[in-house]
Amino acid sequence: MESVSVWCALLLCSLSGAELVHNEISAQRQSSPESVKASEQPQPCPSDLHAVLREMSAALAEQRVRIQQLQAHNQVQEAKLTELQKQTSEQLKELQKQTSEQLRGQATELNSVKARTNETENQVASLKREREVGQVAFSASLLASGHGTLGPFNTQTNLVFKYVVSNIGNAYNPNTGFFIAPVRGAYHFEFYIGANGSSYASAAGLTKNGEHIFIAYEHQTNGFGKSSNGATLLLEPGDVVFLRLWQNTRIFDNEYHHSTFSGHLLFSM
């Protein structure tokens, strides 16, 4: 609008100038014909000025329309950009949310896998321990070498079977003659007592934690004899089982290992 006002002002100024020139020429004609001839030279036509102004006005109008179109286009582009930024922001938030949920899910699954792995490892370790302690068996004879007779004694005497044939699980101690249960379970024991002919009988009793269980007894005045017995006992970890020579009796053994003490775990409980 300011440009149109400027062009209008220029047009008025041009028209006023043309009128002044016309008045001046008329005055010169009345005063001096020579001066009139000198001043009657070609002057710019007011119609040409109008044409220029019209062209400039039309160009200005076109520029104004173009500016309006560009402004409208910019507004559309700004709206699209704003919508795109909004969509991008929402997509980014959704992606962050999905990523966070996936990470939480993976963390939960990882913890679950770790827990299952630890449980499996514990089970394997437990099975290994059970397998190790579940393999319990021993067998031993009285004398480590040679031959001989023990007894008689006036009191019951613990027997130590020194010649160890097998000691799986190391539950039997050849230095004390004690079998110590490693796990709770059912154990089976057998014992054989060799007897050489004598006026003294041969007898030994199976003992659990100092309590008499069973006895093997033989009295043969001449020749060789043997007595035996066995028992299945429910033992707790740490229970002690051993053999005692009965008072006023004797036991015989030699390189053929007649007098023996054996036991093994039937099953744990």
Side-chain angles (χ1 to χ4, degrees), residues 33 45 55 82 99 105 112 160 163 183 191 193-194 211 239 259 261:
C45 181
E55 290 178 0
T82 302
T99 303
S112 178
V160 179
Y163 184 79
V183 294
F191 52 103
I193 308 302
E211 176 187 359
D239 283 349
S259 299
F261 180 33

Side-chain angles (χ1 to χ4, degrees), residues 2-3 18 23-25 34 63 71 97 110 115 120 126 146 153 170 177 184 193 198 200-201 206 238 249-250 269:
E2 291 179 358
S3 299
N23 294 333
E24 185 179 352
I25 290 173
E34 294 179 358
Q63 292 297 325
Q71 289 176 345
K97 180 181 178 181
L110 180 60
T120 302
S126 178
F153 303 107
N170 295 317
R184 186 176 190 270
I193 308 302
S198 171
Y200 291 97
L206 182 68
T249 63
R250 40 190 277 166
M269 300 174 64

Side-chain angles (χ1 to χ4, degrees), residues 52-105:
V52 171
L53 290 174
R54 284 195 301 270
E55 290 178 0
M56 295 182 68
S57 298
L60 181 61
E62 290 179 359
Q63 292 297 325
R64 186 166 59 251
V65 171
R66 181 60 178 166
I67 290 173
Q68 291 176 353
Q69 291 176 348
L70 290 175
Q71 289 176 345
H73 180 72
N74 288 338
Q75 290 177 355
V76 172
Q77 294 298 322
E78 287 178 357
K80 289 183 179 180
L81 180 60
T82 302
E83 181 65 22
L84 181 60
Q85 290 176 343
K86 181 180 179 182
Q87 293 177 357
T88 303
S89 177
E90 292 177 353
Q91 291 175 353
L92 181 59
K93 290 181 180 179
E94 182 65 22
L95 181 60
Q96 291 176 342
K97 180 181 178 181
Q98 293 177 358
T99 303
S100 178
E101 291 177 352
Q102 290 177 355
L103 290 175
R104 285 197 298 269

